[in-house]
Amino acid sequence: MKGTYLGEFEEVVLLAVAIRSGDAYGATIVNEIEQQMGRSVSLGAVHSALNRLQEKGLVSSEMGGMTTERGGRRKRLYLVTAYGRRAIEEIRQLRNQMWDAIPQTAWVHVQ
């Protein structure tokens, strides 16, 4: 993953795709982020992040079946790729490593 920078929002979208495994499309990703983070996000911002993640090889997409609720239109479903999974694992490892490196004395000065 070295050399592939992920912004905070891209990371959040990637995690939401992983959480919604098999049912990750624009609206469900928006709902997942809003539920998990308690912040509203626009569908357009999510689609932009998904496009960037796809360009980086972290997610792939395929067209789902037609649904009556969407007037016969198909949904674009997103999946985390093997490369995306490694990226998530590396990000988690780095964050845990940094949290573990904070000395207890650092918290004494926090008001």
Side-chain angles (χ1 to χ4, degrees):
M1 185 181 124
K2 290 190 177 9
T4 301
Y5 174 78
L6 280 184
E8 177 194 6
F9 190 67
E10 288 176 330
E11 181 182 340
V12 167
V13 171
L14 183 58
L15 289 167
V17 172
I19 291 168
R20 299 299 307 202
S21 178
D23 186 37
Y25 60 94
T28 60
I29 295 167
V30 167
N31 291 339
E32 190 64 43
I33 292 169
E34 289 179 347
Q35 180 183 3
Q36 293 286 340
M37 299 190 70
R39 77 184 221 200
S40 68
V41 296
S42 74
L43 184 59
V46 168
H47 279 294
S48 293
L50 287 167
N51 288 334
R52 290 191 304 274
L53 292 169
Q54 198 161 11
E55 287 172 4
K56 294 176 182 182
L58 301 171
V59 299
S60 63
S61 69
E62 59 186 36
M63 294 305 289
M66 292 185 279
T67 62
T68 55
E69 68 194 31
R70 294 174 46 89
R73 294 189 343 254
R74 299 167 69 188
K75 299 175 187 172
R76 179 165 297 278
L77 300 170
Y78 292 88
L79 297 167
V80 176
T81 63
Y83 184 56
R85 180 180 168 92
R86 282 194 306 276
I88 291 171
E89 290 169 353
E90 287 180 20
I91 290 166
R92 183 179 190 178
Q93 180 182 6
L94 175 62
R95 290 191 189 283
N96 287 342
Q97 176 182 321
M98 292 183 76
W99 274 102
D100 292 345
I102 298 172
Q104 287 299 314
T105 57
W107 302 117
V108 173
H109 304 291
V110 176
Q111 297 291 336

